[in-house]
Amino acid sequence: MADFHDFAAQWDRLFNAGDLSKLETLYASGASVIPAGGAPAKGPSEIGKFFAGVRSNGLTRHEIAVKSLAERGDTVVATGTWALSGANSAGEAQAFGGNWVNVLGREGDAWKILLHTWN
């Protein structure tokens, strides 16, 4: 999946712009987001709400770095690092980061995220 770097950049653009309805379209109907230490969000609508909650906490700048891809037919496992930053309600800078894993599956001509998790 040579175009995954573009896919990751699109994810960042949509999140950073707050366009969560379009961000939801990157996820398969049965997708799961499993945040580190948090409850899973299942399906595009719940996933959009999860990320809306992240943005509502002032975390509005996200950046993905893709480190590896393993493609097996219609499935791709992508890994890398992420950084998330913004300001809290008191205007204080906050920043987080770590490693992430995405499992993607092909739906027609498009790739959709099946599983998204991080630490």
Side-chain angles (χ1 to χ4, degrees), residues 38-63:
K42 296 190 180 274
S45 179
E46 266 190 48
I47 291 168
K49 288 176 187 171
F50 171 83
F51 286 116
V54 170
R55 287 186 53 84
S56 73
N57 288 321
L59 296 164
T60 58
R61 175 81 181 122
H62 193 275
E63 186 175 344

Side-chain angles (χ1 to χ4, degrees), residues 20-95:
L20 302 178
S21 62
K22 283 189 183 171
L23 185 75
E24 290 176 12
T25 69
L26 300 181
Y27 291 86
S29 61
S32 292
V33 163
I34 304 173
K42 296 190 180 274
S45 179
E46 266 190 48
I47 291 168
K49 288 176 187 171
F50 171 83
F51 286 116
V54 170
R55 287 186 53 84
S56 73
N57 288 321
L59 296 164
T60 58
R61 175 81 181 122
H62 193 275
E63 186 175 344
I64 296 169
V66 178
K67 300 295 184 183
S68 72
L69 297 171
E71 188 169 352
R72 302 287 187 270
D74 287 341
T75 304
V76 170
V77 176
T79 66
T81 59
W82 61 275
L84 180 63
S85 60
N88 64 20
S89 59
E92 301 165 330
Q94 51 184 348

